[in-house]
Amino acid sequence: MFGSILTIGAMFGAVTSGRIADLIGRKGAMRLSAAFCITGWLAVYFSKGAMSLDVGRFSTGYGIGVFSYVVPIFVAEIAPKNLRGGLTTLNQLMIVTGSSVAFVIGTIIPWRELALTGLVPCIFLFVGLFFIPESPRWLAKVGLNKEFHVALRKLRGKDADITQEATEIQIYIETLQSLPRTRLLDLFQSKYIRSVIIGVALMVFQQFGGINGISFYASETFASAGLSSGKTGTIAYACVQVPITVVGAMLMDKSGRRPLIMVSASGTFLGCFLAGCSFYLKDHNLLLEWVPMLAIAGVLIYIASFSIGMGAVPWVIMSEIFPINVKGVAGSLVVLVNWLGAWAVSYTFNFLMSWSSSGTFFVYSGFSVITILYVAKFVPETKGKTLEEIQASINS
């Protein structure tokens, strides 16, 4: 419950994030998220029982759920055209780096002190937001034209010519506001349904491949496989993530989305299969000296493969396949499905491992195989295509 309740909070955060970001702005939403995270970490640190632990974890999850929507939106809205892709990918890299740092620190200090370290980035963010401008696009959307020009000027530099960009943004906002308001039921129209199915399916496959169960319980998995110290495997796990994510970011616009996600899913299949084999050998007292080695190799191959494609590519494709007038509603639905899958996997992981350790990893490897087949059959290549070309290829 404690492991998975973060993802329940994140689901609530994902559902409300769009409305919050529109009402109080991108900076306001991030401040609110930081406040929830700070409250959550303090509740964990000062907890005397299970209830305060769960409340703290839920509060932190809510903040993360809002962040997961608002931060990419904010980055995309403030970035110049030529840097937008790189900065969006950098955001994913920073998430992985933060995760890896937390894994390493967690092997050194007790959990209460680890909760306190979670306060540091939240406080930096909360204070830092006072020194950066609001999203110019949001300011234009709510009619604050003077503040819109001031923010754009601050972002681009005092000597930059912002006339053309300001005009383009205002035309875009006017076009967006002239479109009919989209409701959830509208997503089931024939012109949108294939995009929605692709976006939802990719998030289901991303999560049901086991990432949250394997990452939440990495040290326990290594220990149960017979490794003398789960910490060694956990540190190796953390060190693998960052450089492989960098490689994936570099390949994103070179190899294309489909090849990258299929290669990644092939690797997660191999990793889960090896980990499953290690537990199968342990359960049957066969080749016991190979068990820890196979478990470590399997989990490290899994996380390396996930980091190169399955971690980031579904989010990139999701941002590309929806027409602009349904992007907000469709994006919220897809994010909700992602967090729902994250909860299901993180909540059931220990139960599945009690049922059958080898079977758990074989089930995850099966989802990887389905991912490869689904992407090969139904997901279009979006690299280098316009929105109209992507829609044509989806609906053909």
Side-chain angles (χ1 to χ4, degrees):
M1 174 58 76
F2 178 67
S4 67
I5 201 168
L6 177 139
T7 55
I8 298 175
M11 280 189 272
F12 282 95
V15 169
T16 58
S17 57
R19 184 61 60 89
I20 291 170
D22 285 341
L23 283 177
I24 61 177
R26 294 9 176 178
K27 283 175 62 178
M30 286 189 281
R31 277 200 197 97
L32 182 69
S33 301
F36 268 95
C37 288
I38 289 169
T39 303
W41 286 124
L42 289 174
V44 171
Y45 178 75
F46 289 110
S47 62
K48 302 296 182 184
M51 177 60 74
S52 54
L53 280 172
D54 288 339
V55 169
R57 184 94 165 146
F58 180 89
S59 177
T60 306
Y62 182 86
I64 290 171
V66 176
F67 275 135
S68 68
Y69 174 85
V70 175
V71 172
I73 293 291
F74 181 72
V75 170
E77 289 182 344
I78 66 170
K81 289 179 183 178
N82 60 318
L83 296 179
R84 189 170 297 148
L87 287 175
T88 305
T89 306
L90 183 63
N91 173 51
Q92 182 69 25
L93 176 61
M94 291 297 100
I95 291 171
V96 172
T97 303
S99 169
S100 296
V101 169
F103 265 85
V104 173
I105 294 175
T107 64
I108 302 169
I109 63 176
W111 63 267
R112 284 191 192 273
E113 284 69 25
L114 183 63
L116 279 184
T117 66
L119 293 173
V120 177
C122 300
I123 293 170
F124 263 99
L125 175 67
F126 197 89
V127 175
L129 285 168
F130 287 100
F131 300 95
I132 63 172
E134 178 58 272
S135 162
R137 284 171 172 78
W138 180 79
L139 292 169
K141 183 180 178 182
V142 296
L144 298 173
N145 289 322
K146 182 181 177 182
E147 291 84 350
F148 159 63
H149 284 93
V150 170
L152 191 59
R153 171 73 64 194
K154 190 171 182 180
L155 285 165
R156 301 295 178 256
K158 61 181 181 179
D159 298 323
D161 182 7
I162 61 169
T163 308
Q164 183 179 349
E165 186 176 5
T167 303
E168 289 175 355
I169 289 173
Q170 287 174 324
I171 291 172
Y172 170 82
I173 295 296
E174 289 169 7
T175 303
L176 194 61
Q177 291 176 338
S178 68
L179 294 169
R181 186 176 178 83
T182 307
R183 297 168 301 164
L184 186 62
L185 289 176
D186 294 334
L187 298 179
F188 296 95
Q189 296 177 19
S190 59
K191 57 185 174 180
Y192 305 133
I193 188 65
R194 289 184 179 87
S195 297
V196 172
I197 291 172
I198 290 170
V200 167
L202 287 175
M203 292 306 175
V204 168
F205 293 138
Q206 183 197 61
Q207 292 300 328
F208 280 84
I211 181 60
N212 274 287
I214 293 170
S215 62
F216 278 11
Y217 301 103
S219 58
E220 289 90 337
T221 301
F222 290 131
S224 62
L227 195 66
S228 57
S229 172
K231 291 182 179 181
T232 306
T234 303
I235 292 171
Y237 178 111
C239 293
V240 163
Q241 286 192 99
V242 178
I244 299 296
T245 302
V246 173
V247 173
M250 292 168 63
L251 291 173
M252 185 79 71
D253 287 317
K254 292 182 179 179
S255 66
R257 291 21 164 180
R258 292 176 78 248
L260 194 57
I261 202 169
M262 286 192 284
V263 168
S264 176
S266 300
T268 58
F269 162 77
L270 176 61
C272 282
F273 186 77
L274 289 176
C277 288
S278 74
F279 283 106
Y280 181 85
L281 293 174
K282 182 188 176 189
D283 292 342
H284 292 80
N285 292 313
L286 301 169
L287 303 173
L288 292 180
E289 66 276 10
W290 284 85
V291 169
M293 190 185 308
L294 276 175
I296 286 188
V299 172
L300 293 186
I301 288 172
Y302 175 90
I303 192 58
S305 302
F306 185 90
S307 298
I308 205 169
M310 285 297 293
V313 176
W315 293 101
V316 173
I317 293 176
M318 186 269 284
S319 70
E320 296 172 326
I321 61 174
F322 295 123
I324 194 168
N325 58 312
V326 300
K327 189 164 286 193
V329 176
S332 296
L333 174 64
V334 169
V335 171
L336 176 62
V337 168
N338 184 274
W339 283 114
L340 185 61
W343 169 77
V345 170
S346 57
Y347 184 74
T348 59
F349 183 80
N350 279 331
F351 297 118
L352 287 172
M353 290 290 281
S354 299
W355 160 68
S356 171
S357 299
S358 58
T360 301
F361 283 96
F362 289 144
V363 167
Y364 292 155
S365 66
F367 274 100
S368 295
V369 173
I370 298 171
T371 303
I372 299 166
L373 298 175
Y374 182 84
V375 172
K377 178 70 175 175
F378 296 108
V379 178
E381 180 55 70
T382 59
K383 185 191 81 168
K385 290 183 178 179
T386 65
L387 182 62
E388 291 75 22
E389 289 170 338
I390 294 169
Q391 287 303 304
S393 64
I394 289 173
N395 291 317
S396 62

